């Protein structure tokens, strides 16, 4: 702690007696003090306001304003709270001394003074004041740090049973300093009853043996709120005796909610909120185990929408997405409680029916599901008549595992489609159409590898800081003679199931690395190559050994090869997978997790594996500009990856708005049709030699300029605002159209939006509500000449407005509040994690017109 005296400390001497002031000056100036004199209380106040002294020497008895009143007023001045004030009084004037101390005096000196000791006395007071000031600063800094970290602390002394709770701990518990004793028993009462034994056992062990603990538990606050905390404690011992116990309690609610949300979204379809493929497989496994115990039946119904591609192509993806959402809602209402409706992907759904007494019940439900499609789907201005085809399989007659039940249901679905659609079919062993088709494709695929019908296309990957192509992903294509290009989703799953993916995967790896070696030889030595690795390939092939051989044959550096793994790879035998991944990391290759967010990935799951890159699935990128869930999940994935020192690559980027969102949230790289489709090798040569790259405006700079968006339906108001703010260094965007404002936000890194309250078509409150849903980090300010109660209350209730500014505005204050808003944006301060939204401050700054 620094308690050094200020050099040449300034002493303000206040006394109506000139001789006393002279004697004080003569006693102190030789000792290195600077002296300023005041002959009255009013003179002292004026001198204090000109410059705060280091100490005030104040006579009690003065005409006009007494020393008591002067002391009290000094304490109220800026800087006066901590300056030592020493009063001069008579030896036997105890009442004056008491009155002076009550007025705020730090100490007193009795008259007549001992002049030789005065300097020593003042130095002591200055040192004490400096120590108190520094202690206060340290305490304030500690409190601020604890508030930022949401970290409170407690202590409990066993000798006297006394305890201490920090202010931040009281805030976490929802208590105030007068709410009761700060004891462990009181802390225990803040937990739900079912969690109290957990903390009590840990505390008793700490008390008995001094063994510290770390645990998570809930806290119930008096107002009904609930938070989750990480609680640690330790013991201070003397020998075997525990003298003191102390601990920290950190509010981790926001982090846990985010983890739970990612866990939930990872197991559910983002569009329909139904269970996804991973969760469905888990439930089928559980249902089969239950059916074996109870000897009841279960059924899987697989359905897809007839002519769904026509809907997407004719009406666009937004209408197609709305149709899928409505189908999901109707299906959930058609089944029984306890049954599962899941989305496999695209327009494919699966219904799992459990606890069936016989097959007739499954047939009744299949008929009911068909019936829900009889009513047309009204989607905005479109009315669509859509039907479905259903394939069904029964356990145990049609399969004794989840995979077989889904395959037989899929075969039955193809049969239903062949018989005219809008129908259901239960699997039977005579269904051979699908089997024959699959056998024919499988045979042709065997020939394809031998006859050179397979080829690779390459999709560039672009660094979003430099805008340059840094690598590409190798994508498999099958050019079948007489038929043309076969879509990958038709033959790759078949190759996986038939085991051909092992040979095909090795061919892809060798061909891609050989091509990369050619590009390196042409001078493009910075390029990397990403190759997909299937779950079966990873399981049945010694991947580290294969990678060593391929790298040696191609001459490609290991750090230029990136292996893209699906979640199904990671979910095999964990120990074997970790060992293989560690060997690959020792070789030096980069490991990427493909299609993140579509399966079981989570923060805790990712931490188990040495992943370098997280690829964000295109299904989420598609929704980032108009879906709160899509934007929230993508933003969370990027933040989570950064926290684990992983890079992020966004797949399927098709629009400028999507690219702008990724830049705003500092995604590392992208690939997609916005920059380039997958290209054959010759076309990729041309792109590389041309030096094609993103323009700087489509990349995120290291230090972005502050971007302010102004929205007002009156152009002259926008002109006045731009004039007021033209020298503030902002990049100012403006529009009279709220709908256009949403487009501007999507394609620019807006930090603060300032909007008028009343506008035709869309109110300022509605605009800010939508901005808050998709871009919660943007600080929202409303400008209004009509601060009526209704609009203010609505905005407060929704938490959509950070601050109100009324028209006409004071230019200086307008600049100050916008500066504060940008600081809030840049510090990452957003709405509080728990409880109702913080009410905005209404700022009245209408002293003069703009």
């Amino acid at each position: 702690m620094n308690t050094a005296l200020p050099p040449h400390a300034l002493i303000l001497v206040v006394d109506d007696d000139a001789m006393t002031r002279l004697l004080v000056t003569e006693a102190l100036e030789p000792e290195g003090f600077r002296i300023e004199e005041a002959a009255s209380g009013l003179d002292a106040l004026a001198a204090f306001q000109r410059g705060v002294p280091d100490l005030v020497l104040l006579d009690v008895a003065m005409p006009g304003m007494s020393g008591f009143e002067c002391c009290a007023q000094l304490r109220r001045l800026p800087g006066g709270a901590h300056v030592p004030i020493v009063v001069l009084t008579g030896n036997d004037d105890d009442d004056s001394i008491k009155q002076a101390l009550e007025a705020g005096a730090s100490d007193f000196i009795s008259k007549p003074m001992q002049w030789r000791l005065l300097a020593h006395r003042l130095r002591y007071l200055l040192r004490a004041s400096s120590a108190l000031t520094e202690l206060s600063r340290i305490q304030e800094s500690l409190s601020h740090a604890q508030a930022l970290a949401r970290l409170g602390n407690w202590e409990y002394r066993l000798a006297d049973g006394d305890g201490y709770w920090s202010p931040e701990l009281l805030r976490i518990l929802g208590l105030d300093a007068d709410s009761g004793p700060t004891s462990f028993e009181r802390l225990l009462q803040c937990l739900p009853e079912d969690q109290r034994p957990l903390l009590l056992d840990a505390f008793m062990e700490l008390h008995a043996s001094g063994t510290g603990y770390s645990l998570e538990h809930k806290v119930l606050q008096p107002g009904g709120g609930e938070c989750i905390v990480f609680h640690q404690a330790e013991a201070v011992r003397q020998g075997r005796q525990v003298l003191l116990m102390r601990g920290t309690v950190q509010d981790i609610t926001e982090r846990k909610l985010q983890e739970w949300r990612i866990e939930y979204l990872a197991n559910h379809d983002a569009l329909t909120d139904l269970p996804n493929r991973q969760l469905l497989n888990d439930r089928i496994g559980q249902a089969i185990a239950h059916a074996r115990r109870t000897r009841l039946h279960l059924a899987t119904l697989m359905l897809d929408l007839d002519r769904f591609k026509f809907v997407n192509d004719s009406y666009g993806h937004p209408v197609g997405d709305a149709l899928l959402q409505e189908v999901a809602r109707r299906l959930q209402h058609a089944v029984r409680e306890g049954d599962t409706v899941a989305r496999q992907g695209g327009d494919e759904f699966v219904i799992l029916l459990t606890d069936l007494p016989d097959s007739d019940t499954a047939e009744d439900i299949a008929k009911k599901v068909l019936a829900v499609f009889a009513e047309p789907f009204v989607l905005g201005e479109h009315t669509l008549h859509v039907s479905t085809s259903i394939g069904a399989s029964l356990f145990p007659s049609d399969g004794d595992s989840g995979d077989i039940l889904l395959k037989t249901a899929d075969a039955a679905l193809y049969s239903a489609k062949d018989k005219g659609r809008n129908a259901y079919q239960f699997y039977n062993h005579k269904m051979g159409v699908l089997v024959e088709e699959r056998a024919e494709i499988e045979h042709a695929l065997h020939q394809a590898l031998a006859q050179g019908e397979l080829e690779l296309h390459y999709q560039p990957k672009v660094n979003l800081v430099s805008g340059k192509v840094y690598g590409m992903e190798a994508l498999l294509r099958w050019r079948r003679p007489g038929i043309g290009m076969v879509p990958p989703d038709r033959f790759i799953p078949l190759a996986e199931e038939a085991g051909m993916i092992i040979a095909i995967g090795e061919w892809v790896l060798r061909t891609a690395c050989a091509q990369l070696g050619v590009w390196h030889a042409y001078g493009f030595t910075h390029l990397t190559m990403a190759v997909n690795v299937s779950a079966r390939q990873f399981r049945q092939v010694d991947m580290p050994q294969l990678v060593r051989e391929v790298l040696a044959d191609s001459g490609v550096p290991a750090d230029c090869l990136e292996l893209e793994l699906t979640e199904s790879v990671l979910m095999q035998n964990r120990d074997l997978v970790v060992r293989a991944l560690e060997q690959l990391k020792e070789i030096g290759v980069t490991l990427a997790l493909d299609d993140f967010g579509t399966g079981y990935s989570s923060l805790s799951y990712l931490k188990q594996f040495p992943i370098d890159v997280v690829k964000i699935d295109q299904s989420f990128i598609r929704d980032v500009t108009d879906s709160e869930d899509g934007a929230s999940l993508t933003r969370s994935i990027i933040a989570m990856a950064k926290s684990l020192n992983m890079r992020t690559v966004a797949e399927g980027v098709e629009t400028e708005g999507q690219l702008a969102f990724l830049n705003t949230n500092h995604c590392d790289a992208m690939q997609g049709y916005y920059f380039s489709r997958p290209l054959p090798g010759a076309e990729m040569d041309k792109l590389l030699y041309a030096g094609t790259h993103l323009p700087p405006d489509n990349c995120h700079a290291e230090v972005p300029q502050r971007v302010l968006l102004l929205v007002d339906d009156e152009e002259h108001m926008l002109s006045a605002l731009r004039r007021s703010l033209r020298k503030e260094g902002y990049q100012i965007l403006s529009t009279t159209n709220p709908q256009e404002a949403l487009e501007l936000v999507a394609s620019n890194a807006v930090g603060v939006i300032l909007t008028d309250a009343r506008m035709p078509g869309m109110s300022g409150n509605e605009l800010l509500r939508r901005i808050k849903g998709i871009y919660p980090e943007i600080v929202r300010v409303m400008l209004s000449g009509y601060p009526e109660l209704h609009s203010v209350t609505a905005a407060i209730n929704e938490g959509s407005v950070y601050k109100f500014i009324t028209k006409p505005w004071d230019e200086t204050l307008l600049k100050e509040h916008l500066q504060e808003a940008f600081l809030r944006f840049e510090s990452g301060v957003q709405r509080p994690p728990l409880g109702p939204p913080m009410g905005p401050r209404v700022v009245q700054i209408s002293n003069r017109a703009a």
Side-chain angles (χ1 to χ4, degrees):
M1 182 183 297
N2 181 14
T3 58
L5 293 178
H8 308 294
L10 177 62
I11 309 298
L12 175 60
V13 181
V14 187
D15 199 309
D16 60 320
D17 180 24
M19 181 57 67
T20 299
R21 298 199 304 272
L22 176 62
L23 291 173
V24 170
T25 300
E26 290 183 349
L28 297 181
E29 281 188 340
E31 298 292 333
F33 292 97
R34 293 180 295 123
I35 306 298
E36 184 171 357
E37 299 182 22
S40 68
L42 290 175
D43 290 345
L45 295 176
F48 196 98
Q49 289 174 316
R50 287 194 301 270
V52 178
D54 297 300
L55 184 144
V56 178
L57 201 58
L58 175 64
D59 188 28
V60 167
M62 293 186 297
M65 180 186 294
S66 71
F68 308 128
E69 177 62 23
C70 180
C71 180
Q73 291 202 33
L74 285 172
R75 287 296 185 210
R76 290 193 288 269
L77 291 177
H82 302 293
V83 173
I85 300 177
V86 181
V87 298
L88 304 176
T89 183
N91 278 327
D92 57 352
D93 194 1
D94 293 343
D95 290 338
S96 294
I97 293 172
K98 179 181 178 183
Q99 191 174 353
L101 294 175
E102 290 174 349
S106 307
D107 202 351
F108 66 92
I109 295 177
S110 299
K111 293 181 179 179
M113 288 182 280
Q114 299 182 37
W115 300 107
R116 289 179 299 175
L117 299 179
L118 180 60
H120 298 289
R121 183 73 175 271
L122 296 189
R123 286 195 186 94
Y124 171 79
L125 289 170
L126 286 169
R127 287 194 186 93
S129 173
S130 177
L132 289 173
T133 300
E134 179 68 8
L135 179 60
S136 176
R137 186 194 66 77
I138 291 173
Q139 289 176 333
E140 182 179 357
S141 177
L142 177 61
S143 296
H144 183 62
Q146 286 193 340
L148 286 176
R150 299 173 185 169
L151 179 70
N153 66 287
W154 57 265
E155 288 186 357
Y156 181 63
R157 292 190 296 274
L158 273 65
D160 54 13
D162 196 12
Y164 165 77
W165 289 359
S166 71
E168 183 62 17
L169 176 57
L170 291 170
R171 188 203 66 76
I172 292 171
L173 300 178
L175 304 174
D176 53 48
D178 302 325
S179 60
T182 56
S183 63
F184 180 79
E185 290 77 8
R186 181 71 181 91
L187 179 61
L188 202 61
Q189 293 172 5
C190 295
L191 273 67
E193 286 191 20
D194 63 327
Q195 295 195 7
R196 292 176 188 174
L198 177 69
L199 181 59
L200 183 59
D201 290 345
F203 187 79
M204 295 303 293
E205 179 65 21
L206 177 67
H207 186 283
S209 65
T211 303
Y213 62 79
S214 299
L215 51 88
E216 292 181 6
H217 60 76
K218 292 181 180 179
V219 166
L220 299 176
Q221 298 171 330
E226 182 177 284
C227 66
I228 304 166
V229 300
F230 179 60
H231 190 163
Q232 293 181 292
E234 65 176 8
V236 177
R237 296 190 291 183
Q238 186 176 40
R240 295 185 177 181
Q241 182 181 8
V242 176
L243 302 178
L244 171 72
M245 293 184 289
R246 59 194 177 196
T248 61
V249 177
Q250 185 173 24
D251 185 348
I252 59 171
T253 308
E254 187 174 5
R255 188 183 79 199
K256 298 297 290 186
L257 291 177
Q258 195 69 11
E259 288 182 13
W260 290 339
R261 179 171 177 77
I262 291 176
E263 291 276 5
Y264 179 83
L265 291 175
N267 285 279
H268 291 76
D269 174 56
L271 178 64
T272 63
D273 208 33
L274 294 177
N276 61 14
R277 187 190 305 268
Q278 174 62 39
L279 185 54
L280 173 67
N281 290 338
D282 287 345
R283 292 189 179 178
I284 292 178
Q286 295 172 14
I288 289 175
H290 176 71
R292 286 193 175 114
R293 292 194 302 270
T294 60
R295 299 186 178 278
L296 293 173
H297 300 271
L298 65 87
T300 56
L301 308 185
M302 183 174 289
L303 60 151
D304 63 14
L305 307 186
D306 299 330
R307 301 175 70 238
F308 178 70
K309 185 176 185 301
F310 171 79
V311 174
N312 259 347
D313 294 344
S314 302
Y315 300 99
H317 286 288
V319 173
D321 289 347
L323 174 61
L324 294 174
Q325 290 171 330
E326 179 60 19
V327 167
R329 187 189 67 80
R330 291 192 187 184
L331 292 178
Q332 286 177 298
H333 283 86
V335 301
R336 306 163 304 163
E337 185 177 358
D339 294 334
T340 295
V341 179
R343 183 185 177 207
Q344 288 275 81
D347 63 326
E348 190 175 273
F349 296 85
V350 174
I351 299 174
L352 173 63
L353 306 176
T354 58
D355 296 332
L356 299 175
D358 50 48
S359 60
D360 291 342
T361 305
E363 189 167 2
D364 291 340
I365 296 175
K367 292 176 180 178
K368 187 176 179 181
V369 170
L370 276 181
V372 304
F373 288 83
E375 292 294 322
F377 292 84
V378 180
L379 308 171
E381 60 184 14
H382 304 290
T383 300
L384 304 179
H385 294 270
V386 178
S387 61
T388 187
S389 301
I390 303 174
S393 61
L394 297 171
F395 173 85
S397 58
D398 299 331
D400 59 358
S401 71
D403 286 343
I404 296 177
L405 286 173
L406 290 174
K407 286 179 182 178
T408 50
D410 189 40
L413 172 61
Y414 273 90
S415 177
K417 286 183 174 292
D418 282 347
K419 294 186 176 181
R421 304 174 185 266
N422 192 25
Y424 67 87
Q425 283 287 316
F426 276 77
Y427 179 79
N428 64 68
H429 295 286
K430 296 179 180 180
M431 293 177 177
V433 176
L434 178 63
V435 175
E436 291 176 7
E437 179 186 353
R438 291 166 69 91
E440 190 270 332
I441 293 178
E442 182 177 341
H443 175 73
L445 190 54
H446 274 292
Q447 299 300 316
L449 184 59
Q451 297 177 5
E453 296 171 12
L454 299 180
E455 60 187 61
L456 292 182
H457 288 193
Y458 304 91
Q459 185 164 49
K461 296 197 290 186
V462 182
N463 185 300
L464 286 181
V465 174
S466 68
K468 297 179 180 179
V469 175
Y470 72 92
M472 61 279 296
E473 179 181 359
L475 299 170
L476 181 63
R477 298 291 184 262
W478 180 13
R479 193 179 300 276
R480 191 174 176 188
I483 294 178
M485 202 69 83
V486 180
D489 58 356
R490 286 200 62 194
F491 70 90
I492 291 180
L494 179 59
E496 180 92 28
E497 293 171 11
M500 289 182 291
I501 198 67
I502 296 173
I504 292 174
E506 181 175 343
W507 177 86
V508 170
L509 182 62
R510 291 186 179 278
T511 304
C513 287
Q515 176 64 72
L516 183 62
V518 172
W519 282 323
H520 279 197
Y522 287 165
F524 302 104
T525 55
H526 66 285
L527 291 179
T528 64
M529 180 68 70
V531 178
N532 291 278
V533 178
S534 75
R536 188 161 187 165
Q537 184 182 10
F538 198 90
R539 183 170 61 248
Q540 297 185 5
V541 175
D542 185 347
M543 283 303 298
Q545 182 58 33
L546 175 61
V547 167
R548 290 188 191 97
E549 294 174 5
V550 171
L551 292 176
D553 292 342
S554 64
V556 169
D559 60 357
C560 291
L561 174 61
E562 180 175 307
L563 299 181
E564 294 191 0
L565 313 172
T566 61
E567 295 173 47
S568 57
V569 171
L570 303 183
M571 293 181 66
Q572 301 173 39
N573 185 305
R574 182 185 178 281
D575 293 336
L576 293 177
V577 169
V578 170
R579 191 176 308 119
L581 294 180
E582 288 174 348
Q583 290 176 14
L584 289 169
K585 290 302 299 176
E586 290 174 2
I587 295 171
V589 302
T590 300
L591 300 178
L593 182 59
D594 198 15
D595 299 335
F596 182 85
T598 60
Y600 194 70
S601 302
S602 69
L603 176 61
S604 58
Y605 194 69
L606 268 185
K607 288 159 67 175
Q608 302 175 34
F609 303 98
I611 301 298
D612 304 296
V613 179
V614 171
K615 299 197 72 176
I616 307 171
D617 186 66
Q618 60 183 342
S619 61
F620 302 126
I621 301 301
R622 185 188 307 127
D623 298 330
V624 294
T625 58
D626 55 13
S627 164
E628 183 174 349
D629 280 343
S632 174
L633 181 61
T634 302
R635 190 183 295 111
S636 299
I637 292 173
I638 294 172
M640 179 187 66
K642 288 187 182 300
S643 71
L644 295 174
N645 295 316
M646 299 175 184
R647 301 188 299 280
T648 49
V649 179
E651 299 180 297
V653 179
E654 297 181 353
T655 69
E656 186 171 352
Q658 293 167 358
L659 180 59
F661 178 92
L662 296 172
N663 277 318
T664 299
N665 289 278
H666 291 269
C667 182
D668 296 306
M670 60 79 73
Q671 63 186 85
Y673 275 55
Y674 182 84
F675 184 81
S676 172
R677 62 181 174 83
L679 302 172
E683 292 185 38
M684 190 69 195
D685 286 344
K686 296 176 183 178
L687 183 144
L688 293 174
Y689 279 111
T692 307
H693 62 276
L694 285 174
D697 290 344
N698 286 144
C699 304
H700 55 260
E702 294 300 329
V703 182
Q705 184 182 12
R706 289 177 169 179
V707 182
L708 171 66
L709 174 59
L710 307 176
V711 188
D712 197 304
D713 60 312
E714 299 181 33
E715 181 59 45
H716 73 277
M717 295 301 295
L718 293 176
S719 298
L721 285 168
R722 287 193 295 265
R723 190 165 54 251
S724 296
L725 302 170
R726 64 184 181 276
K727 296 182 180 180
E728 297 303 297
Y730 302 141
Q731 177 187 345
I732 298 179
L733 309 174
S734 61
T735 180
T736 58
N737 186 338
Q739 193 64 43
E740 185 179 340
L742 293 173
E743 295 294 328
L744 288 172
V745 169
S747 55
N748 295 275
V750 175
V752 176
I753 179 172
L754 175 65
T755 180
D756 188 28
R758 286 190 173 183
M759 294 182 291
M762 184 189 301
S763 69
N765 190 36
E766 170 63 15
L767 172 61
L768 295 186
R769 184 189 65 77
R770 294 176 67 174
I771 293 290
K772 171 195 169 188
I774 302 178
Y775 310 98
E777 73 280 0
I778 295 178
V779 179
R780 305 168 295 278
V781 182
M782 184 175 285
L783 180 67
S784 176
Y786 309 90
E788 68 273 8
L789 181 62
H790 174 73
S791 63
V792 172
T793 302
I796 290 175
N797 288 340
E798 295 181 6
S800 58
V801 178
Y802 163 60
K803 185 173 293 186
F804 283 92
I805 299 176
T806 58
K807 298 178 183 177
W809 60 84
D810 179 285
E811 201 168 281
T812 300
L813 290 175
L814 172 68
K815 294 176 182 178
E816 289 179 359
H817 291 298
L818 288 179
Q819 174 76 5
E820 178 187 337
F822 272 108
L823 291 174
R824 183 181 180 88
F825 169 74
E826 290 159 358
S827 67
V829 177
Q830 300 175 14
R831 57 190 184 282
L834 293 174
M838 290 177 60
R841 286 170 284 177
V842 180
V843 183
Q844 302 286 349
I845 52 174
S846 56
N847 295 333
R848 63 176 184 268

